[in-house]
Amino acid sequence: MEKVKQQVPSLRFSGFTGDWRKRALGDGCEILMCKRIFADQTAESGDVPFYKIGTLGGKPDSYISRELFEEYRERYNYPKAGETLITCAGTVGKCVQFDGQDSYYQDSNIVWIDNPEDHAVNDFLFLLLTRIDWSKLNSTTITRIYGNDLRAFELVVAPTLPEQQKIAAFLGAVDRKIQQLKRKQVLLERYKQAVMQQLLDQKLRFPGFTGDYKEYRLAQLLERYSENNKDGEFGINDILSLSSRFGIVDRKELLQDTYDNVNHLNYVKTRMNDFVYAKSISTTAPFGSFKANLCRDGLLSTLYFTFKVKELADPRFLEYYFSDTTRANNYLRKVVLVGDRYITADSDYLLSGTVRIPSLPEQKKITSFLMALDAKVAGVAQAVAAAQQWKKGLLQQMFV
């Protein structure tokens, strides 16, 4: 006789035994939705947020009146705090736990699991539902989830409510830790941006530095050079690119057949600590990006201008100076906007504007301070990624 496989997770809290059981979602639960709201009953602002499939779990873009909300909540179906809302169209299967705050939801496109918690507590049920790949139901690609599909859907459930509560409480604590780390990352990033603005605007100074920042033409800080790769110093694997988020980065992720189609001998060379301007090829976004090459020696396409940084400036300081989009665009607007039209941003124009910056020693002090803050932000980001990976492993082991 074939041995029946036990339905137990590989990681389990002590004191709990017994197989997990398959149970249809509709066994004890009902699938409900709100009373229909028509377009002329909504407004762009108002008393009670009205969520649609595109805004569930995010920021609402529609509202209904307090009077209508009170009437419909009293007369028709309405979710209870803790129950799971699910999008049934568009991005199917987005799950959000109802927090009990006054809000209303788009009928048929958003439903909720009316769960009396006889067989599954809401927090545990939410965890089960968020682990499902709703893009396929019964092995069929779907664009909509219907009520009958949800009722018939089978979940493997821990056999007792106390075990479910223990799992949900533990994973809830993990989620709170991840959210705390994310919040810390956001606050550090905001702090760094605020301090950087004050340092660059001469509103905040380090001890020992006095006197006004000095105004320089950018041509006094940068020198354009154009050195192509005709001598073949660099190979196809030495191609670099500019990322708006990460600066100059390797392009090793390019497929080899893409490499083979690149005439890298026509590319321009860039050396470590060069300053780089990526020309814009868009008429709707005429400004490109200034970035320091903090990656390595390599090649850039002819869409880039490369500059040597002169002795009056620190490459990393200039990187911070132009990292603020508003500051960079204000500078570029001065040098490429003539009347009501944008002129070609060639190197002469780019270098013709002025910047107000501190002395080289103060630049280095500012740069060192901001780099330390960047390292802290990166450390917290790594902690977030590690915690998320840990949670992913837990989910794989704590459920059947």
Side-chain angles (χ1 to χ4, degrees):
M1 179 180 294
E2 183 180 356
K3 186 177 180 180
V4 178
K5 182 181 178 182
Q6 284 187 307
Q7 293 285 312
V8 295
S10 60
L11 182 63
R12 200 170 193 181
F13 289 106
S14 62
F16 296 105
T17 58
D19 282 4
W20 287 35
R21 304 165 186 170
K22 279 190 175 182
R23 181 178 293 278
L25 188 56
D27 184 5
C29 297
E30 188 52 82
I31 312 301
L32 300 178
M33 68 184 73
C34 286
K35 172 71 174 176
R36 174 162 293 184
I37 296 292
F38 295 96
D40 61 3
Q41 294 175 298
T42 68
E44 293 183 0
S45 61
D47 302 319
V48 180
F50 175 61
Y51 289 96
K52 296 167 280 189
I53 54 177
T55 57
L56 181 67
K59 184 178 180 180
D61 59 7
S62 296
Y63 295 81
I64 61 174
S65 68
R66 171 63 59 181
E67 292 77 14
L68 183 64
F69 170 72
E70 297 290 354
E71 177 189 351
Y72 278 21
R73 182 175 60 176
E74 181 69 25
R75 294 178 58 187
Y76 304 109
N77 294 323
Y78 191 74
K80 297 185 289 292
E83 293 184 331
T84 300
L85 298 149
I86 304 178
T87 56
C88 293
T91 304
V92 297
K94 183 197 295 182
C95 296
V96 173
Q97 214 167 1
F98 179 51
D99 60 8
Q101 298 296 313
D102 289 350
S103 52
Y104 215 70
Y105 301 91
Q106 188 178 26
D107 68 296
S108 77
N109 284 339
I110 299 174
V111 302
W112 70 87
I113 312 301
D114 183 41
N115 176 32
E117 298 190 286
D118 294 330
H119 305 293
V121 297
N122 278 321
D123 290 345
F124 180 79
L125 182 59
F126 174 74
L127 290 170
L128 288 176
L129 294 171
T130 55
R131 298 182 69 246
I132 297 169
D133 180 6
W134 291 102
S135 63
K136 288 191 174 183
L137 198 61
N138 299 325
S139 301
T140 303
T141 301
I142 63 168
T143 57
R144 185 170 189 88
I145 304 175
Y146 293 95
N148 288 336
D149 295 322
L150 284 172
R151 294 183 188 92
F153 197 85
E154 289 187 327
L155 301 168
V156 184
V157 181
T160 66
L161 298 184
E163 183 174 9
Q164 295 176 23
Q165 291 166 341
K166 186 83 170 179
I167 293 169
F170 175 72
L171 291 174
V174 173
D175 277 334
R176 287 191 293 274
K177 178 63 176 177
I178 292 173
Q179 292 306 314
Q180 287 171 0
L181 287 170
K182 287 182 175 179
R183 179 63 176 165
K184 183 177 180 180
Q185 181 182 352
V186 169
L187 291 175
L188 272 173
E189 289 172 341
R190 289 177 180 171
Y191 171 72
K192 179 234 172 171
Q193 288 297 321
V195 172
M196 183 175 72
Q197 292 296 332
Q198 293 184 56
L199 288 168
L200 295 178
D201 291 336
Q202 201 182 328
K203 295 178 180 178
L204 180 65
R205 306 290 290 274
F206 289 105
F209 295 102
T210 58
D212 289 341
Y213 287 2
K214 187 175 178 181
E215 187 173 274
Y216 295 94
R217 288 181 57 247
L218 202 57
Q220 294 174 273
L221 308 178
L222 302 176
E223 179 182 359
R224 169 76 191 280
Y225 77 97
S226 180
E227 184 182 355
N228 63 37
N229 193 43
K230 293 296 185 183
D231 59 4
E233 177 184 357
F234 295 109
I236 199 72
N237 291 321
D238 294 314
I239 294 177
L240 308 175
S241 187
L242 190 150
S243 161
S244 58
R245 181 178 178 186
F246 299 108
I248 304 297
V249 295
D250 280 312
R251 293 295 303 275
K252 292 179 181 178
E253 75 277 9
L254 285 175
L255 299 176
Q256 190 59 49
D257 58 354
T258 304
Y259 280 137
D260 293 341
N261 291 326
V262 171
N263 184 2
H264 61 282
L265 295 179
N266 288 330
Y267 273 39
V268 295
K269 296 178 183 180
T270 178
R271 308 290 180 183
M272 185 73 168
N273 290 326
D274 281 351
F275 213 67
V276 174
Y277 177 75
K279 308 175 199 176
S280 173
I281 56 176
S282 169
T283 56
T284 57
F287 301 144
S289 299
F290 272 126
K291 292 288 180 180
N293 177 10
L294 305 175
C295 180
R296 63 179 176 86
D297 293 355
L299 294 175
L300 292 166
S301 82
T302 53
L303 291 175
Y304 296 85
F305 292 141
T306 53
F307 303 89
K308 294 291 185 187
V309 180
K310 297 182 180 181
E311 294 180 355
L312 290 171
D314 178 81
R316 288 182 180 270
F317 176 84
L318 291 179
E319 168 86 1
Y320 284 121
Y321 186 91
F322 285 109
S323 65
D324 177 67
T325 303
T326 301
R327 185 185 302 275
N329 285 353
N330 285 342
Y331 175 84
L332 291 166
R333 190 174 286 109
K334 288 189 299 184
V335 298
V336 300
L337 180 62
V338 176
D340 59 353
R341 66 185 184 88
Y342 294 99
I343 59 176
T344 303
D346 65 22
S347 59
D348 289 338
Y349 286 115
L350 287 173
L351 299 179
S352 64
T354 59
V355 295
R356 186 176 293 276
I357 61 173
S359 66
L360 185 59
E362 191 169 2
Q363 290 178 42
K364 291 183 178 295
K365 182 70 175 179
I366 291 171
T367 296
S368 177
F369 176 77
L370 294 176
M371 287 176 63
L373 285 180
D374 280 338
K376 288 184 179 180
V377 172
V380 176
Q382 289 175 356
V384 170
Q388 289 174 327
Q389 190 63 31
W390 182 54
K391 180 190 174 184
K392 182 179 179 181
L394 289 173
L395 289 172
Q396 292 172 344
Q397 297 177 75
M398 295 180 71
F399 290 85
V400 175

